[in-house]
Amino acid sequence: DDFNAQNIANMMWALAKMGAPASPGVLMAMERRAVAISGDFKPQEIAILLWVYGALGEKPGEGLLEAILLRVTETSQDFDPQGITTLLRALVTLGVAPSVALMTGMEARATAVADAFSTVHAHSLLAALEILRGAPDPALRAALLRDDVPEVA
């Protein structure tokens, strides 16, 4: 009960980076705690958490997935380009079909911060949107594919 959202995201990230299969008991304990405090998750923590499940080849339980995706819609205006890209790529990896509200929020946010996307994140986001929606919003696509997208160092 002492773990906060950042602790959970960090612990899960460490498990994924170790490359070893996580014990079902650890995943269940983390998942229960994450559901209990889902309203505390910040965008980066959400993106990391879902990325970890994809990296581990595990699908989050329905309770966690429902709670976290609700939190995404609540915090969509706080996501940065990396968080948007990581989140949507994780949904693709997990085979999760996001709600219309979630996609609308993420595309609106991506359009609002399009000038901050690197080339890598812009193309990765467009690839994720192709899979999740069939095609990204034309205004978002145009904003992301401008000539002055900064290169990643």
Side-chain angles (χ1 to χ4, degrees):
D1 285 349
D2 292 336
F3 267 46
N4 63 29
Q6 184 177 2
N7 297 146
I8 291 169
N10 289 345
M11 177 70 147
M12 295 291 285
W13 179 86
L15 287 172
K17 283 304 204 177
M18 288 188 326
S23 106
V26 169
L27 284 179
M28 287 178 63
M30 291 290 169
E31 196 162 304
R32 276 194 307 272
R33 182 67 181 147
V35 169
I37 63 168
S38 61
D40 296 340
F41 276 79
K42 295 179 180 127
Q44 182 181 8
E45 297 156 352
I46 294 166
I48 289 169
L49 184 64
L50 292 178
W51 172 84
V52 165
Y53 274 96
L56 293 174
E58 300 281 340
K59 193 155 185 176
E62 281 301 313
L64 177 59
L65 193 56
E66 184 179 315
I68 289 298
L69 294 181
L70 174 62
R71 187 68 180 147
V72 170
T73 60
E74 294 169 350
T75 61
S76 64
Q77 292 306 304
D78 298 326
F79 274 78
D80 65 12
Q82 183 177 354
I84 294 166
T85 304
T86 301
L87 171 75
L88 295 182
R89 294 297 301 175
L91 294 178
V92 167
T93 300
L94 293 169
V96 172
S99 70
V100 171
L102 186 146
M103 289 303 294
T104 300
M106 286 291 98
E107 284 187 312
R109 180 61 180 160
T111 301
V113 297
D115 61 334
F117 274 82
S118 68
T119 301
V120 170
H121 287 132
H123 288 279
S124 185
L125 175 63
L126 290 171
L129 290 171
E130 288 285 336
I131 294 166
L132 294 170
R133 287 186 50 124
D137 174 74
L140 174 57
R141 183 178 190 78
L144 290 173
L145 295 179
R146 66 195 186 287
D147 290 333
D148 61 337
V149 176
E151 294 293 326
V152 175

